[in-house]
Amino acid sequence: MAIDVRNPDPAYRAFWQEWHLSTLTTHREDRTPHVVPVGVTYDPEAGLARIITNKTSRKIANILAAGPEGARVAVCQVDRGRWATLEGIARVTADPAAVAEAVRRYEERYGRRPSPNPNRVAVEITLTKAMGRA
């Protein structure tokens, strides 16, 4: 079921506010999928999903390998019969304000402040598609 990325129905929005881990799918240089668990926040007003991670992770290498245009990615979460997928173009940022905003949103969703990490970056996914059943 297609969802309006910037104007999801209340149940879909609420599902992305509950405590759920997600998976992030990126592509390795050989185009095989790389799927890892992540914490994701969804900001429909900005049309973004955000992830915080270490700049030396494989997912970051995969995104950076796509070049400045960004990498096509998907994040997905599942809870029994409910599921939600967000797709878009991922870019990596080390901008302190962007990373702080991603950390703030992570803390809000997951109820804990991540440990300090001088190697932390944010992945910002400019959303192009949403689907699911919440």
Side-chain angles (χ1 to χ4, degrees):
M1 168 184 226
I3 309 286
D4 182 343
V5 169
R6 289 193 171 252
N7 189 27
D9 65 63
Y12 192 82
R13 181 186 290 259
F15 187 44
W16 280 103
Q17 294 169 335
E18 296 172 10
W19 200 108
H20 297 286
L21 286 179
S22 298
T23 58
L24 168 68
T25 303
T26 61
H27 291 96
R28 298 178 186 98
E29 290 187 33
D30 67 2
R31 301 307 297 154
T32 59
H34 178 256
V35 183
V36 294
V38 292
V40 178
T41 62
Y42 174 34
D43 179 357
E45 290 76 20
L48 291 175
R50 295 177 179 90
I51 299 166
I52 55 174
T53 190
N54 196 306
K55 68 182 178 183
T56 62
S57 70
R58 167 52 46 197
K59 60 187 157 288
I60 295 301
N62 291 344
I63 294 167
L64 292 174
E69 317 77 50
R72 294 209 52 85
V73 302
V75 290
C76 183
Q77 65 182 21
V78 177
D79 179 42
R80 298 183 186 204
R82 299 183 306 155
W83 63 277
T85 299
L86 299 169
E87 297 179 18
I89 305 298
R91 292 179 183 82
V92 178
T93 181
D95 174 71
V99 173
E101 179 63 8
V103 167
R104 182 189 73 75
R105 289 175 178 275
Y106 178 95
E107 183 176 8
E108 184 178 273
R109 180 173 189 195
Y110 293 101
R112 71 173 194 83
R113 186 157 198 66
S115 302
N117 179 354
N119 292 318
R120 179 172 290 131
V121 294
V123 175
E124 293 184 333
I125 304 168
T126 302
L127 299 172
T128 58
K129 186 176 184 179
M131 56 187 156
R133 181 169 53 194

